[in-house]
Amino acid sequence: MRRFSFASLLSEALGGHQGWGRQWRAPDPKPSYDVVIIGGGGHGLATAYYLATVHGITNVAVLEKGWIGGGNTGRNTTIIRSNYLYDESAGIYEHALKLWEGLSQELNYNVMFSQRGVLMLAHNHHDDQSFKRHVYANRLNGIDNEWLSAEECKDFCPPLSISPDIRYPVLGGALQRRAGTARHDAVAWGYARGADARGVDIIQNCEVTGISRDASGKAIGVETTRGYIRAGRIGVVAAGNTSRVMAMADVRMPLESYPLQALVSEPVKPVFPCVVMSNAVHAYISQSDKGELVIGAGTDQYTSYSQQGGLHITTHTLDAICEIFPQFTRMRMLRSWGGIVDVTPDRSPIIGKTPVENLFVNCGWGTGGFKATPGSGHVFAHTLATGEPHKVNAPFTLDRFRTGRLIDEAAAAAVAH
Amino acid sequence: MLLIDCPFCGKRPEVEFRCGGEAHIARPANPFAVDDQAWGEHLFVRKNPRGLHAERWIHAHGCGRWFNAIRDTYTDRFVETYKAGERPSVDLSEARA
């Protein structure tokens, strides 16, 4: 792997940037791997990277049916935060946030992680009480989160309207200052480059069509559009398509796949200093370094694999954005798109073993998986390497839907997140 | 926005409806007779297919009645809608995985 540095940048600049070359190989699949990861999004690539760097397992393939980072990794609104209510959730998202803080250095790849602060707006009495409860719970877990009055919100984010007579008046907000955004493509590319340099094969345009099992039921390999591949262990990290992949091994999942939409505006000068979320009206907004307003909407009400959603969903979000940020009423939107998110009944992920030996799954991140990418990959690599969950992901079993020991962040946040 | 053919009222815009998820899930007749595995599957496990899907809808801002629909989750097109208690005319076992 060629390390990026000021010297390499300077020498390439003098050469007209003609010598950069490919950052990872495009290998043909080998007949056999120690670990096969199904899904080349951020979580799958991070898993491969940590398998190689932390556990020394480099005979690994990442199989991606399209191109890496082309699914939800490249479709989300890049919000990163860790102020979740329950201890288990706080544990895994804070684990991820700590890894984010050193990620650019670790990968020698600028993921443009920017701790510009995430402000969650409270619009009613319920929000007010529930966010304050979050603030106190977060502090007990050593996670920064503070309550701001409406005036303090306005100071932190000047475009905000705190007029009391608007449709969604701002009563206050919860601010996590260490939270922020990152460049989503760079996360996939940085992990891919790091994993590839250590010997991991990243195989794109290779769709898994079957999971083969021996007489005892153990998973032993995968059928793909590029031939059969034997596997010591298999990790399924297929987001919205997890139900379909797991069905190949006869495992039925507690998942439903919904379209989640986002959109960006035309690029403008820096006008928006932070990330603002409003769970009550399903609006999530920040400004990218390119200048576009990046806006997230809610999910559609029905399951779908179409990667597009209803226009009334985005319209509803923009209505709220225009009300809370009146200066944006004349902005024009450039593009909108949808991603397919796999949602569990308790809105918490599933990371761990399955009823099939040697088959492991990392799914159910729902509408908020991007923020967890490094932590998710780190603990899933541990699970794949050792066969047992890391203490951080131990509560996130598939079995909790049998035992009833749910991690009910759905109720905790009142909405998807 | 989807246009949904309510079996009672005819075609109406999606915002008049709420989706109630997968249809034809039978609650175990005696919940105390099934083990945790079966009860958990009843509560939480869903087919979530890419292709034809039988699902429940309620015409909340119309007649207020529940009905069932077959929709292709890959194209979002409705194949048919039918009243509760009826069976669909398409065979879901041949649906695309």
Side-chain angles (χ1 to χ4, degrees):
Chain A
M1 180 175 88
R2 179 178 174 189
R3 284 191 69 78
F4 296 140
S5 64
F6 180 71
S8 70
L9 196 63
L10 185 66
S11 71
E12 285 299 333
L14 294 174
H17 294 292
Q18 298 300 304
W20 283 113
R22 285 179 176 276
Q23 296 302 314
W24 54 87
R25 299 163 296 131
D28 290 322
K30 291 192 279 189
S32 172
Y33 290 94
D34 293 341
V35 178
V36 166
I37 294 166
I38 302 174
H43 290 239
L45 293 164
T47 304
Y49 175 82
Y50 292 114
L51 273 173
T53 55
V54 178
H55 304 281
I57 299 172
T58 57
N59 187 23
V60 175
V62 179
L63 308 182
E64 168 54 50
K65 76 177 158 98
W67 63 95
I68 59 167
N72 295 346
T73 300
R75 292 165 186 265
N76 65 84
T77 52
T78 77
I79 298 173
I80 295 163
R81 61 185 180 89
S82 65
N83 49 354
Y84 281 69
L85 180 65
Y86 289 118
D87 294 352
E88 297 89 344
S89 319
I92 194 157
Y93 290 106
E94 180 64 13
H95 183 57
L97 183 51
K98 290 211 170 93
L99 289 169
W100 277 114
E101 287 174 331
L103 195 61
S104 290
Q105 287 74 22
E106 155 118 28
L107 295 176
N108 179 234
Y109 202 98
N110 187 2
V111 298
M112 297 166 74
F113 179 50
S114 161
Q115 292 175 297
R116 58 185 69 182
V118 172
L119 179 63
M120 295 172 77
L121 298 179
H123 297 289
N124 51 50
H125 192 54
H126 171 80
D127 282 354
D128 179 297
Q129 291 187 328
S130 127
F131 289 2
K132 282 176 180 164
R133 183 183 173 209
H134 274 66
V135 168
Y136 303 140
N138 291 153
R139 285 188 186 168
L140 290 174
N141 277 317
I143 294 169
D144 71 304
N145 197 7
E146 61 194 273
W147 176 257
L148 303 187
S149 67
E151 291 72 25
E152 289 168 328
C153 289
K154 174 84 178 164
D155 284 344
F156 188 73
C157 182
L160 185 66
S161 166
I162 55 170
S163 168
D165 61 354
I166 61 176
R167 175 69 182 82
Y168 308 103
V170 175
L171 303 185
L175 171 66
Q176 186 177 25
R177 293 183 190 272
R178 288 166 62 236
T181 60
R183 170 100 166 95
H184 47 9
D185 296 324
V187 177
W189 298 336
Y191 274 123
R193 172 171 169 267
D196 177 84
R198 289 161 179 85
V200 171
D201 284 355
I202 295 162
I203 302 162
Q204 304 185 76
N205 299 309
C206 178
E207 183 172 356
V208 171
T209 55
I211 294 174
S212 62
R213 299 162 69 181
D214 68 8
S216 68
K218 190 161 68 173
I220 52 170
V222 291
E223 301 282 355
T224 78
T225 50
R226 297 182 65 178
Y228 180 72
I229 301 170
R230 277 200 310 281
R233 281 180 175 152
I234 300 170
V236 178
V237 200
N241 284 299
T242 302
S243 292
R244 297 177 59 223
V245 175
M246 294 300 285
M248 297 171 190
D250 299 322
V251 180
R252 299 178 67 221
M253 298 296 290
L255 292 173
E256 290 187 299
S257 298
Y258 293 93
L260 179 67
Q261 295 182 81
L263 57 164
V264 293
S265 73
E266 58 192 340
V268 291
K269 287 183 178 179
V271 286
F272 204 76
C274 57
V275 182
V276 173
M277 303 173 49
S278 171
N279 284 346
V281 292
H282 281 303
Y284 312 88
I285 180 169
S286 63
Q287 187 174 22
S288 73
D289 292 340
K290 213 161 39 171
E292 305 147 321
L293 295 179
V294 182
I295 296 169
T299 57
D300 279 89
Q301 56 173 328
Y302 48 81
T303 64
S304 177
Y305 289 82
S306 62
Q307 291 193 321
Q308 57 189 2
L311 188 60
H312 61 290
I313 304 284
T314 45
T315 306
H316 172 72
T317 291
L318 291 177
D319 285 347
I321 297 264
C322 289
E323 187 85 0
I324 302 168
F325 306 104
Q327 70 180 38
F328 294 147
T329 50
R330 284 172 296 156
M331 289 284 280
R332 284 168 295 193
M333 294 298 135
L334 274 190
R335 300 189 305 278
S336 72
W337 61 90
I340 302 303
V341 299
D342 47 325
V343 177
T344 58
D346 63 359
R347 303 300 191 273
S348 289
I350 299 166
I351 319 156
K353 299 194 225 186
T354 71
V356 176
E357 199 180 336
N358 289 344
L359 182 68
F360 299 81
V361 71
N362 182 350
C363 66
W365 290 97
T367 58
F370 176 75
K371 66 174 78 69
T373 304
S376 158
H378 186 263
V379 298
F380 195 47
H382 179 97
T383 309
L384 281 167
T386 64
E388 293 298 325
H390 188 279
K391 69 178 186 331
V392 169
N393 68 314
F396 296 93
T397 60
L398 178 57
D399 198 42
R400 72 178 186 269
F401 299 100
R402 180 185 64 81
T403 62
R405 196 175 172 78
L406 305 182
I407 304 162
D408 206 357
E409 284 291 342
V415 291
H417 36 254
Chain B
M1 189 183 301
L2 306 178
L3 195 61
I4 302 175
D5 190 6
C6 171
F8 306 99
C9 310
K11 289 188 175 173
R12 298 292 179 86
E14 182 198 335
V15 286
E16 293 186 11
F17 297 83
R18 291 301 300 169
C19 185
E22 187 178 326
H24 308 305
I25 296 174
R27 179 186 166 93
N30 179 4
F32 298 102
V34 298
D35 62 9
D36 288 353
Q37 185 69 34
W39 185 245
E41 286 188 11
H42 165 68
L43 287 180
F44 300 125
V45 170
R46 295 294 177 264
K47 289 198 183 86
N48 196 26
R50 188 178 78 167
L52 297 185
H53 185 224
E55 58 196 13
R56 304 161 72 226
W57 288 82
I58 181 171
H59 194 183
H61 303 289
C63 62
R65 282 192 270 191
W66 285 97
F67 62 94
N68 296 321
I70 304 292
R71 186 176 54 88
D72 187 329
T73 63
Y74 188 60
T75 61
D76 290 339
R77 280 186 192 285
F78 281 86
V79 176
E80 65 174 308
T81 56
Y82 52 102
K83 292 174 185 170
E86 296 176 354
R87 302 301 301 179
S89 58
V90 296
D91 182 3
L92 287 180
S93 62
E94 292 172 16
R96 173 172 43 195

Coordinates of all heavy atoms in Angstrom, one line a residue, chain B residues 3 36 38 48 51 54 65-66 79 82:
Chain B
L3 N -51.1 4.4 -5.6 CA -52.5 4.5 -5.7 C -53.1 3.2 -5.3 O -52.7 2.1 -5.9 CB -52.9 4.8 -7.2 CG -54.3 5.3 -7.5 CD1 -54.6 6.6 -6.8 CD2 -54.5 5.5 -9.0
D36 N -41.0 -21.1 23.3 CA -40.5 -19.7 23.1 C -40.1 -19.5 21.7 O -40.3 -18.4 21.1 CB -39.3 -19.4 24.0 CG -39.8 -19.3 25.5 OD1 -41.0 -19.3 25.8 OD2 -38.9 -19.2 26.4
A38 N -41.3 -20.9 18.9 CA -42.5 -20.7 18.0 C -43.2 -19.3 18.3 O -43.6 -18.6 17.4 CB -43.4 -21.8 18.2
N48 N -40.6 -11.0 4.5 CA -39.8 -9.9 3.9 C -39.2 -10.2 2.5 O -38.0 -10.1 2.2 CB -38.6 -9.6 4.9 CG -37.9 -8.2 4.6 OD1 -38.6 -7.3 4.0 ND2 -36.6 -8.1 4.9
G51 N -40.3 -9.4 -4.0 CA -41.3 -9.9 -5.0 C -42.7 -9.8 -4.4 O -43.0 -8.9 -3.7
A54 N -48.0 -10.6 0.5 CA -49.3 -10.4 1.0 C -49.3 -9.5 2.2 O -48.5 -9.8 3.2 CB -50.0 -11.7 1.3
R65 N -61.8 0.5 7.1 CA -61.8 -0.9 7.2 C -60.4 -1.5 6.7 O -59.8 -1.0 5.9 CB -62.9 -1.5 6.3 CG -64.3 -1.4 7.0 CD -65.3 -2.2 6.3 NE -66.0 -1.4 5.3 CZ -67.1 -1.8 4.7 NH1 -67.7 -2.9 4.9 NH2 -67.7 -1.0 3.8
W66 N -60.1 -2.7 7.3 CA -58.9 -3.4 7.0 C -59.2 -4.3 5.7 O -60.3 -4.8 5.6 CB -58.5 -4.4 8.1 CG -57.8 -3.7 9.3 CD1 -58.4 -3.3 10.4 CD2 -56.5 -3.4 9.4 NE1 -57.5 -2.7 11.3 CE2 -56.3 -2.8 10.7 CE3 -55.4 -3.5 8.6 CZ2 -55.1 -2.3 11.1 CZ3 -54.1 -3.0 9.0 CH2 -54.0 -2.4 10.3
V79 N -50.7 -6.0 -7.2 CA -51.3 -7.0 -8.1 C -52.8 -7.1 -7.9 O -53.6 -7.1 -8.9 CB -50.6 -8.3 -7.9 CG1 -51.2 -9.4 -8.8 CG2 -49.1 -8.2 -8.2
Y82 N -57.9 -7.5 -1.8 CA -59.1 -8.4 -1.5 C -59.5 -8.2 -0.1 O -58.7 -7.8 0.8 CB -58.8 -9.8 -1.9 CG -57.5 -10.4 -1.2 CD1 -57.5 -11.2 -0.1 CD2 -56.2 -10.0 -1.8 CE1 -56.3 -11.6 0.5 CE2 -55.1 -10.5 -1.2 CZ -55.1 -11.3 -0.1 OH -54.0 -11.8 0.5

